[in-house]
């Protein structure tokens, strides 16, 4: 078992306070596990940001993509590109170290590198590699009184078909998340120059 489990101190009826633009919630981080038979090679390649909790990294951006390259020693490189108003490109490049080794989808992500390499700040919690990936990160604040959350649905294509999307949103519900709190990312009328192409 991965030492990620944190006490579940609250129930599903979470009180959400929107402070600035991040999801801040009462209590400790929820009990969410990373994928345990993870394949970094299969995770590599181009992903589209399909929807997310509003976050400061891609706030207000459209056409957000990320290209992930698998490296040696459980290190992934990511290259994220999004567009602000008037198609001003915003690029974010960094490293994601697999915190618990190559088989576990738990990452210490940083730009350029995470400050704390012994604690994951982003987990792949659900993935089929060909169509979608669900990424979740959480950090406790104020000694566990509240926490900050990130959640992304990534897709291999700019848009997902309705049945696929429905299935993903159902899986999110099963993980204890509220799919309707996710914000879809505009992937229409996008520039051609996606990263690494
Ligand atoms: C990981 O994924 C790659 C690419 O899809 C595949 O060739 C490889 O067999 C997979 N490894 C395992 C252990 O399943």
């Amino acid at each position: 078992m991965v030492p990620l489990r944190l006490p579940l101190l609250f129930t599903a009826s979470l009180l959400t306070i929107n402070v600035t633009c991040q999801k801040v919630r009462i209590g400790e981080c929820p009990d969410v596990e990373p994928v345990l038979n993870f394949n970094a090679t299969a995770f590599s390649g181009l992903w589209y940001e399909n929807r997310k909790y509003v976050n400061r990294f891609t706030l207000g951006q459209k056409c957000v993509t990320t290209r992930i390259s698998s490296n040696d020693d459980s290190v992934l490189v990511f290259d994220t590109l999004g567009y602000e108003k008037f198609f001003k490109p915003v690029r974010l490049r960094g490293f994601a170290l697999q915190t618990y080794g190559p088989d576990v989808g738990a990452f210490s992500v940083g730009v350029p590198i995470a400050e704390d390499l012994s604690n994951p700040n982003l987990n792949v919690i659900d993935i089929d590699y060909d169509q979608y990936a669900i990424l979740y990160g959480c950090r406790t604040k104020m000694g566990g009184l509240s926490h900050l959350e990130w959640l992304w649905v990534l897709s291999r294509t700019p848009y997902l078909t309705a049945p696929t999307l429905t299935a993903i949103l159902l899986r999110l519900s099963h993980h204890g998340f509220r799919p309707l709190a996710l914000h879809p990312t505009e992937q229409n009328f996008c520039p051609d120059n996606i990263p690494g192409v």
Side-chain angles (χ1 to χ4, degrees), residues 37-43 103 129-130:
N37 52 350
F38 186 73
N39 184 335
T41 310
F43 180 52
D103 295 336
Y129 300 100
D130 300 330

Side-chain angles (χ1 to χ4, degrees), residues 126 131-132 134 161-174:
D126 206 324
Q131 294 181 99
Y132 76 92
I134 302 174
T161 61
T164 305
L165 183 58
T166 304
I168 293 169
L169 297 184
L170 268 175
R171 295 183 74 85
L172 275 167
S173 300
H174 291 157

Side-chain angles (χ1 to χ4, degrees), residues 52-114:
K52 72 279 176 180
Y53 281 167
V54 171
N55 65 80
R56 69 188 158 90
F57 306 107
T58 59
L59 180 70
Q61 293 175 25
K62 57 187 286 187
C63 307
V64 180
T65 55
T66 190
R67 182 169 285 278
I68 293 168
S69 336
S70 175
N71 213 319
D72 290 340
D73 304 324
S74 304
V75 179
L76 302 187
V77 180
F78 65 90
D79 187 351
T80 299
L81 177 66
Y83 292 89
E84 290 181 339
K85 265 187 197 153
F86 309 114
F87 289 103
K88 179 174 170 251
V90 182
R91 203 155 184 186
L92 201 64
R93 274 174 280 201
F95 295 94
L97 181 83
Q98 281 184 273
T99 319
Y100 306 126
D103 295 336
V104 184
F107 294 93
S108 308
V109 182
V111 179
I113 201 149

Side-chain angles (χ1 to χ4, degrees), residues 116-146:
D116 183 358
L117 295 181
S118 59
N119 280 309
N121 55 10
L122 196 65
N123 298 286
V124 175
I125 61 169
D126 206 324
I127 186 165
D128 74 348
Y129 300 100
D130 300 330
Q131 294 181 99
Y132 76 92
I134 302 174
L135 274 53
Y136 177 75
C138 185
R139 205 173 69 208
T140 50
K141 309 259 291 176
M142 293 157 38
L145 287 177
S146 69

